[in-house]
Amino acid sequence: MTFELSDRVRTVPPSGIRRFFEIAEERDEVISLGVGEPDFATPWAARDAAITSLEQGKTSYTANRGKRELREAIADYVADRFELGYDPDEEILVTAGASEAVDLAFRAFVDPGDTVAIAQPSYISYEPGVIFAGGEVLPVPTREEDDFRLTVEGLEAAGAADADMLVLCYPNNPTGAIMPAEDLEPVAEFAREHDLTVLSDEIYAELTYDGEHTSIASFEGMRERTIVFNGFSKAHAMTGLRLGYALGPADAIGAMNKIHQYTMLSAPTTAQHAALEALDSCANEVQEMVDQYDRRRQFVLSRFREIGLDVFEAKGAFYCFPEVPEGFTAEEFAEEVLREQGVAVVPGDVFGDGGEGHLRISYATGLEDLRKALNRIEAFVEEHV
Amino acid sequence: MSEREVLELLRENARYSAADIARMTDLEEAEVEATIEELEAAGVVRGYQAVVDWDKLEDERVRAEVELNVTLDRETGYDDIAERLARFPQVKALRLISGDYDFDMEVEGDSIREVSQFISEKVAPVPEITQTVTHYVMTSYKENGIELGDGEGDDRLSFSP
Ligand SMILES: Cc1ncc(COP(=O)(O)O)c(C=O)c1O
């Protein structure tokens, strides 16, 4: 017997990263700049809290929405860091990674035929998420000339005024772009004017190197139409613990929780203990990691300029987004630099419209490896360009 | 403060070039060079050394942590004793510390015999030293902030979203 795949599953193409992964596996001594997760271990205090919780046998389900103490800590944290006010009882949902929260939001708010505008290039899970929910994707390309920021002109040109929902990801994966308050304001106004629901993935909020992160939910009239996603994977180096959360108005979070309670029941309990400790006592470690990323960011940007590849001045997350030289597509460049020099990078078109001709370089890697990798890229460019 | 930042980076890896440090900070390469020169001239940066995992080499080094207790008299202070001990090339580190004993001394040699002889013949006879307790280092797990051993390795996938 063969399984008859649903249309929704069939229409989603396999991930563009897969093929590169296979080449990398065959080759020795690959330095990977293709990794979208921290190279730091989770701060010790958070790991210790997880261990202690296990020793104490705290291994049962928590409340569907997450441990109350953790929701309170999240409420305090987002109020303190991002001026966001959410009620821990009704407006916060703890999930198995921001990934689960994103999926819940699509399933809770997208009806078949609904149009979801997605600012691109951006994180690869949004588009499949919309399709799995039965919706239609409307790409809204952002351009390097605009610092990969979303503009009202861009939204209008793409036809987003007629969309039902808008997905944002700032600081951005893969470009490293941020949206400062003055650029976010007109987008907020556009969303209000055209009655768009906004999903704002702010998982890289702490990793903002020039100035402070602003959430679109903090603008007037936006809180009631926005779901904010965040989590512990990036700033707290907790990817494998799978813990994230969604913030939004009570009825919206209630709807997401309805799906969550039947599919996930509750986020991993051990991870919730780690997360609580991470918020309570690991701010210094987070700051240290941010400082390290910032140094690496400056190093990588400066090396790309020396190598002679145009590179966008990334100001957030841990990615930078250089242009590939003429004569190469992003995919060709990524494949050849991997085969010849053993440096793994991700072609930008994997991340959607606006990403073509670029590479995503992750600097979540120690400086020694970054230095070696950039020397190898330099050698490659000298030989072929 | 740029001095602080340059120092931090040098402590992380003294082989970062001035250009590397300039790339990582908002400083110009010339400023980095000048800052390093100043730090050296002022005696803040006293030298640069490799961090070695001796366990990885054939010809092993023998190292010992030695506790020293001293008595002082009117003529002799801690500094006098320290000065005398610090001159020996076998002494790699010497610190006056608080607690059960006075000095904490790191000694290095090619064999246990050499280290023991040094302590019994050169250190113990110093008149102000009343007691020495020698602890031989069996394995070192971390030196100068750098973890030794085989390292944890990076088990992340080479590509992730
Ligand atoms: C923008 C963005 N959102 C969400 C995620 C997934 O986060 P989590 O580990 O919390 O599911 C990632 C991971 O790469 C990401 O880059």
Side-chain angles (χ1 to χ4, degrees):
Chain A
M1 186 207 127
T2 51
F3 286 94
E4 290 246 347
L5 300 188
S6 70
D7 291 344
R8 289 177 190 183
V9 169
R10 236 180 324 101
T11 43
V12 172
S15 158
I17 294 180
R18 185 74 223 166
R19 193 165 65 83
F20 290 88
F21 184 71
E22 276 152 20
I23 305 171
E25 291 291 276
E26 287 164 15
R27 210 182 172 291
D28 289 340
E29 282 203 59
V30 170
I31 301 178
S32 183
L33 308 182
V35 186
E37 62 175 318
D39 59 322
F40 299 105
T42 308
W44 174 249
R47 279 186 274 161
D48 197 35
I51 294 166
T52 306
S53 76
L54 288 173
E55 282 172 346
Q56 293 173 344
K58 295 186 174 163
T59 51
S60 36
Y61 297 130
T62 67
N64 295 129
R65 288 166 184 266
K67 276 170 67 65
R68 174 152 176 121
E69 249 182 307
L70 175 59
R71 281 181 278 133
E72 279 169 5
I74 290 169
D76 290 346
Y77 165 77
V78 297
D80 182 45
R81 291 290 285 118
F82 311 120
E83 294 178 19
L84 295 173
Y86 288 96
D87 170 10
D89 283 330
E90 301 204 294
E91 300 184 319
I92 298 179
L93 178 62
V94 178
T95 54
S99 301
E100 192 215 345
V102 170
D103 178 55
L104 292 175
F106 288 137
R107 288 201 280 158
F109 311 125
V110 175
D111 272 321
D114 280 358
T115 303
V116 179
I118 303 178
Q120 291 185 347
S122 68
Y123 179 53
I124 60 176
S125 295
Y126 308 133
E127 196 162 327
V130 170
I131 296 170
F132 291 143
E136 274 161 36
V137 172
L138 178 75
V140 183
T142 61
R143 304 176 311 160
E144 182 153 12
E145 299 90 276
D146 305 321
D147 290 340
F148 289 111
R149 289 172 189 171
L150 187 59
T151 62
V152 168
E153 299 76 65
L155 284 162
E156 273 165 359
D162 297 325
D164 301 289
M165 181 180 275
L166 172 64
V167 181
L168 303 178
C169 172
Y170 297 97
N172 182 267
N173 173 7
T175 60
I178 58 170
M179 287 281 280
E182 67 269 24
D183 294 322
L184 218 41
E185 171 90 72
V187 173
E189 198 182 315
F190 183 91
R192 285 192 304 264
E193 197 179 316
H194 299 286
D195 196 23
L196 302 180
T197 304
V198 176
L199 303 187
S200 183
D201 185 342
E202 301 178 19
I203 196 160
Y204 294 104
E206 286 275 6
L207 309 185
T208 300
Y209 307 106
D210 263 359
E212 292 287 298
H213 171 75
T214 306
S215 174
I216 193 163
S218 64
F219 290 96
E220 198 171 316
M222 289 309 292
R223 189 185 184 284
E224 45 271 53
R225 60 174 65 251
T226 305
I227 305 287
V228 175
F229 306 112
N230 205 329
F232 296 86
S233 283
K234 310 297 171 171
H236 296 90
M238 282 172 47
T239 45
L241 281 95
R242 311 303 309 124
L243 208 71
Y245 51 91
L247 310 168
D251 50 350
I253 290 296
M256 288 167 65
N257 187 37
K258 204 179 205 176
I259 307 174
H260 172 77
Q261 71 185 350
Y262 291 121
T263 52
M264 194 60 69
L265 290 159
S266 60
T269 300
T270 311
Q272 293 190 50
H273 286 278
L276 186 53
E277 185 65 28
L279 291 179
D280 266 2
S281 75
C282 300
N284 287 343
E285 283 91 333
V286 171
Q287 190 54 50
E288 265 167 45
M289 292 189 271
V290 173
D291 290 347
Q292 285 274 5
Y293 288 134
D294 190 19
R295 283 180 188 146
R296 296 167 180 184
R297 174 183 73 100
Q298 299 188 59
F299 180 86
V300 170
L301 289 174
S302 142
R303 282 296 281 128
F304 272 113
R305 291 191 193 108
E306 286 165 6
I307 292 169
L309 293 189
D310 282 331
V311 60
F312 165 66
E313 175 90 33
K315 291 188 172 162
F318 37 56
Y319 309 106
C320 80
F321 209 56
E323 275 179 38
V324 296
E326 259 178 62
F328 288 93
T329 65
E331 191 157 322
E332 283 162 3
F333 190 95
E335 182 167 343
E336 285 174 38
V337 83
L338 175 56
R339 283 192 199 281
E340 281 186 30
Q341 295 285 346
V343 178
V345 301
V346 185
D349 34 304
V350 166
F351 303 94
D353 291 358
E356 310 84 359
H358 287 81
L359 304 170
R360 188 191 75 174
I361 303 287
S362 159
Y363 48 85
T365 292
L367 203 86
E368 286 303 307
D369 274 350
L370 284 177
R371 189 202 329 231
K372 269 189 231 159
L374 285 153
N375 289 347
R376 293 184 191 181
I377 292 175
E378 185 167 44
F380 181 87
V381 169
E382 274 170 9
E383 190 178 335
H384 296 281
V385 180
Chain B
M1 199 179 66
S2 67
E3 266 191 357
R4 193 58 190 245
E5 208 172 0
V6 170
L7 269 179
E8 248 174 63
L9 286 164
L10 284 178
R11 289 202 62 199
E12 184 178 296
N13 185 342
R15 290 186 55 160
Y16 287 154
S17 65
D20 287 340
I21 294 175
R23 288 186 191 109
M24 281 183 269
T25 57
D26 287 330
L27 306 170
E28 297 295 321
E29 193 173 330
E31 277 178 83
V32 174
E33 273 166 7
T35 306
I36 294 176
E37 268 168 39
E38 276 162 35
L39 287 166
E40 287 173 356
V44 177
V45 171
R46 310 294 293 217
Y48 303 92
Q49 290 184 337
V51 177
V52 175
D53 186 349
W54 291 103
D55 292 348
K56 291 254 159 62
L57 287 183
E58 291 287 316
D59 56 340
E60 227 175 284
R61 290 294 277 171
V62 171
R63 293 188 300 152
E65 300 279 338
V66 187
E67 301 173 6
L68 299 179
N69 270 305
V70 301
T71 49
L72 304 178
D73 56 38
R74 221 168 288 170
E75 271 87 58
T76 332
Y78 287 122
D79 292 351
D80 302 306
I81 303 167
E83 207 180 314
R84 183 164 173 185
L85 292 170
R87 275 196 206 113
F88 291 112
Q90 292 91 334
V91 175
K92 298 300 169 193
L94 182 67
R95 305 178 183 100
L96 181 65
I97 60 171
S98 64
D100 288 345
Y101 50 100
D102 301 308
F103 286 103
D104 178 35
M105 183 169 80
E106 278 176 43
V107 177
E108 238 176 72
D110 287 336
S111 64
I112 292 202
R113 201 179 130 82
E114 188 191 316
V115 172
S116 323
Q117 254 177 7
F118 168 68
I119 290 161
S120 59
E121 290 170 15
K122 306 286 186 197
V123 179
V126 173
E128 293 82 6
I129 293 181
T130 55
Q131 195 189 20
T132 70
V133 179
T134 304
H135 306 271
Y136 285 100
V137 173
M138 295 193 288
T139 304
S140 179
Y141 298 100
K142 192 170 184 179
E143 294 282 344
N144 291 46
I146 293 178
E147 286 191 46
L148 308 182
D150 288 326
E152 23 349 340
D154 188 345
D155 52 9
R156 295 177 301 165
L157 303 173
S158 46
F159 287 96
S160 61

